[in-house]
Amino acid sequence: MTSADVSDFRVSSLRSACTNCSLVQLCLPVSLSQSDVALLDDIVQRRRPLQRNDHLYREGDDFHAIYAVRSGALKTYTVSSGGEEQVTGFHLPGELVGLDAINTWRHPCSAEALETTSVCELPFERLEDLASEIPGLQRQLLRLMSREIFSDQEMLFAMARRTAEERLAILLLSLSDRFARRGLSATRFRLPMARSELGNYLGLAPETMSRLFRRFRDQGWLSAEGREVRLTDVEALHELAGRPPEDAAAVGQRDTGY
Amino acid sequence: MTSADVSDFRVSSLRSACTNCSLVQLCLPVSLSQSDVALLDDIVQRRRPLQRNDHLYREGDDFHAIYAVRSGALKTYTVSSGGEEQVTGFHLPGELVGLDAINTWRHPCSAEALETTSVCELPFERLEDLASEIPGLQRQLLRLMSREIFSDQEMLFAMARRTAEERLAILLLSLSDRFARRGLSATRFRLPMARSELGNYLGLAPETMSRLFRRFRDQGWLSAEGREVRLTDVEALHELAGRPPEDAAAVGQRDTGY
DNA sequence: CGACACTTTGACACGGCTCAACTAGTGTGG
DNA sequence: CCACACTAGTTGAGCCGTGTCAAAGTGTCG
């Protein structure tokens, strides 16, 4: 056994082994060579899992790292001056959080675990340094941030112009996509968040959410008990999500981006 | 005259001379040394000015550069499958556009001049290369994208939870800020966009915009004729923008980010 | 001057919010 | 082990803010 082997062994319990992580192609997709990923490995830190309602960071905290969700789920939210909570996003395994803090070096929102959740911590300064050395990594970072911008704008469009029904359809399809990308079922999944949190995110009252779910069930588009959801008519949901209301005759569908 | 001087002179007509541009601290704020800016200079290309309604790029175009607005104003927008236009942003001098295209190497939205507008073109691949060499530039890029993410999320919040009045107040204050940052008046400015475009951006019908402006005028919060606007009670607008409706007693105010 | 796009105003309809009451889980302490 | 509280979800009634439609007014540019 060489000394390199020993050192590798010693460190491996501390680091997250991106090399073996099935999510690496989600959180930092493609384009990194084996050896580049190994370099990344060295700066990634694991943290002990968060329990439900634990915070990964809070609004106003100093920013020093971005995080990749390994398992579980997070929500990010801000609190308005009135104490009212606004959910700004849900984050599933393979997705990054904290990108919005780079600008000010302070987290502009809080991140809270919706269930038992483990994350990888990527210390930002070291990530930056590494990105300077590995062009592919720099590019990935920029791409991911670009994607975030794009999907926020899609969402913005949805909030501005879509009815409650359409918003729910869009969200369900987005979740479906994101589950599928991890190799899970696109039609049966368990929502990690409460109805009221979904509603909050979509800008809808919890009562409206409840009525929507019933309407969707009555239409045969899904069956749901509690957080367990089964999409039974994905096509109909795409219909709803894909086109603005006054446009029911048109063809074509949009992807939710994420 | 040294040969360096000659060369400088020769090139200067082709390049945009970031060094002398009063906007450089806006479009790529601080942290770049004189010599770094000079390197940036070398990759920046000027283009001849766009006339009103000219497109800088169109949805679906191949992406090869991001752009900094030098003068004038742009709007970005997407067209839904029904042919309906959705404005996704307004872009004033010192602001960047095209960041949302990095992910897919295609522009997900169109960019159109609202008035005679000149821009600097920053070829993205060369910018990436340069960013690898100049850590400060890489950091700036990431910061700017982070800021974009943050402000999109703020906007999202606004669309989800704010009334029409509040949205208009937020937008007016945002514009006021952005004009002020360029050294223009924060209280008197000319809107580069039509009312209906403002409304489109805010997710409001043009008729609603019209009624809002009248209401704001009746309240003495502003005076406006055509696109010429004068904010006469900024405090009241902050009141509106800064806190959700049910919260009129609370103190504190939020910044619109941009 | 005429054409055309933008803005304003009014009347009306309706989606989604609010308020309120009830139900179903879920955990807690006596 | 049950009573109680507490939270999340459901359902109904009524209201209000905005969208929609229609039509008239106002620039503005060729």
Side-chain angles (χ1 to χ4, degrees):
Chain A
M1 195 185 246
T2 70
S3 75
D5 286 333
V6 171
S7 140
D8 266 338
F9 178 80
R10 188 173 50 72
V11 176
S12 66
S13 60
L14 294 173
R15 70 191 204 191
S16 50
C18 292
T19 320
N20 300 321
C21 176
S22 60
L23 294 174
V24 72
Q25 45 186 322
L26 289 178
C27 75
L28 289 164
V30 299
S31 103
L32 291 186
S33 72
Q34 195 81 356
S35 61
D36 287 346
V37 173
L39 286 171
L40 187 60
D41 252 6
D42 286 336
I43 72 162
V44 171
Q45 292 165 18
R46 256 216 203 133
R47 302 164 55 102
R48 69 167 160 59
L50 299 162
Q51 298 305 313
R52 182 169 148 75
N53 297 330
D54 283 352
H55 279 76
L56 180 57
Y57 51 77
R58 287 174 187 275
E59 194 171 341
D61 280 358
D62 284 339
F63 163 74
H64 62 96
I66 61 179
Y67 302 90
V69 181
R70 286 173 63 82
S71 66
L74 296 171
K75 72 170 176 186
T76 46
Y77 67 93
T78 60
V79 175
S80 76
S81 45
E84 198 201 5
E85 189 174 308
Q86 168 67 32
V87 175
T88 56
F90 300 111
H91 309 276
L92 306 184
E95 296 171 2
L96 299 180
V97 294
L99 296 174
D100 50 358
I102 296 172
N103 180 35
T104 56
W105 284 79
R106 256 164 212 267
H107 287 286
C109 62
S110 306
E112 180 182 339
L114 293 167
E115 57 194 40
T116 304
T117 298
S118 68
V119 299
C120 295
E121 180 174 334
L122 297 91
F124 185 65
E125 298 204 283
R126 302 179 68 183
L127 188 63
E128 269 187 315
D129 292 344
L130 202 56
S132 295
E133 292 161 30
I134 311 176
L137 181 59
Q138 185 192 47
R139 172 163 289 196
Q140 278 317 313
L141 265 181
L142 292 172
R143 279 194 56 178
L144 287 170
M145 298 193 70
S146 172
R147 189 175 73 174
E148 189 89 8
I149 291 172
F150 173 70
S151 74
D152 280 352
Q153 279 173 2
E154 286 257 290
M155 197 61 209
L156 221 141
F157 179 96
M159 303 300 288
R161 285 268 175 278
R162 307 304 190 94
T163 66
E165 269 194 355
E166 293 168 335
R167 291 183 206 177
L168 180 55
I170 289 170
L171 186 79
L172 288 172
L173 290 173
S174 164
L175 290 173
S176 161
D177 251 30
R178 290 149 76 186
F179 282 121
R181 199 163 301 192
R182 288 158 49 200
L184 304 178
S185 167
T187 55
R188 298 185 79 127
F189 44 83
R190 181 183 166 74
L191 299 173
M193 70 295 280
R195 295 281 149 89
S196 54
E197 290 169 319
L198 273 184
N200 185 305
Y201 177 60
L202 294 175
L204 300 171
E207 295 93 328
T208 304
M209 289 304 291
S210 187
R211 287 184 253 265
L212 279 176
F213 267 92
R214 195 157 85 83
R215 211 181 306 165
F216 277 37
R217 212 181 307 131
D218 292 349
Q219 299 283 342
W221 296 336
L222 55 73
S223 53
E225 31 187 314
R227 296 184 173 185
E228 218 65 51
V229 171
R230 190 163 149 219
L231 307 184
T232 50
D233 190 347
V234 176
E235 189 43 44
L237 294 176
H238 268 115
E239 286 289 298
L240 258 184
R243 56 196 69 153
E246 70 281 26
D247 175 31
V251 198
Q253 64 197 39
R254 86 171 40 238
D255 197 294
T256 335
Y258 236 126
Chain B
M1 193 185 251
T2 69
S3 75
D5 286 332
V6 171
S7 141
D8 266 338
F9 178 77
R10 186 173 48 75
V11 175
S12 66
S13 60
L14 294 172
R15 70 190 201 189
S16 47
C18 291
T19 320
N20 301 320
C21 176
S22 61
L23 293 174
V24 72
Q25 44 185 324
L26 288 178
C27 76
L28 288 165
V30 298
S31 100
L32 291 185
S33 73
Q34 195 81 354
S35 61
D36 288 344
V37 173
L39 286 171
L40 187 60
D41 251 6
D42 286 336
I43 72 163
V44 171
Q45 293 166 20
R46 260 219 199 129
R47 302 164 56 100
R48 67 166 162 62
L50 299 163
Q51 297 306 314
R52 182 169 147 76
N53 298 331
D54 283 353
H55 279 77
L56 180 56
Y57 52 78
R58 287 176 188 271
E59 193 171 342
D61 280 358
D62 284 338
F63 163 74
H64 62 96
I66 60 180
Y67 302 89
V69 180
R70 284 174 63 84
S71 66
L74 296 171
K75 72 171 175 186
T76 47
Y77 67 94
T78 61
V79 176
S80 77
S81 45
E84 196 202 5
E85 189 174 308
Q86 167 67 33
V87 175
T88 57
F90 300 111
H91 308 277
L92 305 185
E95 298 171 0
L96 298 180
V97 294
L99 296 174
D100 50 358
I102 296 173
N103 180 36
T104 58
W105 284 80
R106 265 175 200 256
H107 287 287
C109 62
S110 305
E112 181 182 339
L114 293 168
E115 56 193 42
T116 305
T117 297
S118 68
V119 299
C120 295
E121 180 175 331
L122 296 91
F124 186 65
E125 298 203 283
R126 301 177 70 183
L127 188 62
E128 269 187 315
D129 293 344
L130 203 55
S132 296
E133 291 161 31
I134 310 176
L137 181 58
Q138 184 192 47
R139 172 163 289 196
Q140 278 318 313
L141 265 180
L142 292 173
R143 279 193 57 176
L144 287 169
M145 299 193 70
S146 171
R147 189 176 72 172
E148 189 89 8
I149 291 173
F150 174 69
S151 74
D152 282 351
Q153 279 174 2
E154 286 255 293
M155 197 60 208
L156 222 142
F157 179 96
M159 303 301 287
R161 286 266 173 281
R162 308 301 191 94
T163 66
E165 271 193 355
E166 293 168 335
R167 291 184 207 177
L168 180 55
I170 289 170
L171 186 80
L172 288 172
L173 290 174
S174 164
L175 290 173
S176 162
D177 250 31
R178 290 148 77 185
F179 282 120
R181 199 163 303 193
R182 287 158 49 201
L184 304 179
S185 167
T187 54
R188 298 186 81 127
F189 43 84
R190 181 181 165 74
L191 298 173
M193 70 295 281
R195 294 265 202 286
S196 55
E197 289 169 320
L198 274 183
N200 185 308
Y201 177 60
L202 295 175
L204 300 170
E207 294 92 331
T208 303
M209 287 305 293
S210 186
R211 286 184 254 264
L212 279 176
F213 267 92
R214 195 156 85 82
R215 210 180 307 165
F216 276 38
R217 212 181 308 130
D218 291 349
Q219 298 284 342
W221 297 336
L222 55 73
S223 52
E225 31 187 313
R227 296 185 174 187
E228 218 66 50
V229 171
R230 187 161 153 223
L231 307 185
T232 49
D233 190 348
V234 176
E235 187 45 42
L237 294 177
H238 267 116
E239 285 289 297
L240 258 183
R243 55 195 71 152
E246 69 282 22
D247 176 33
V251 197
Q253 64 196 37
R254 86 171 41 239
D255 197 292
T256 335
Y258 235 127

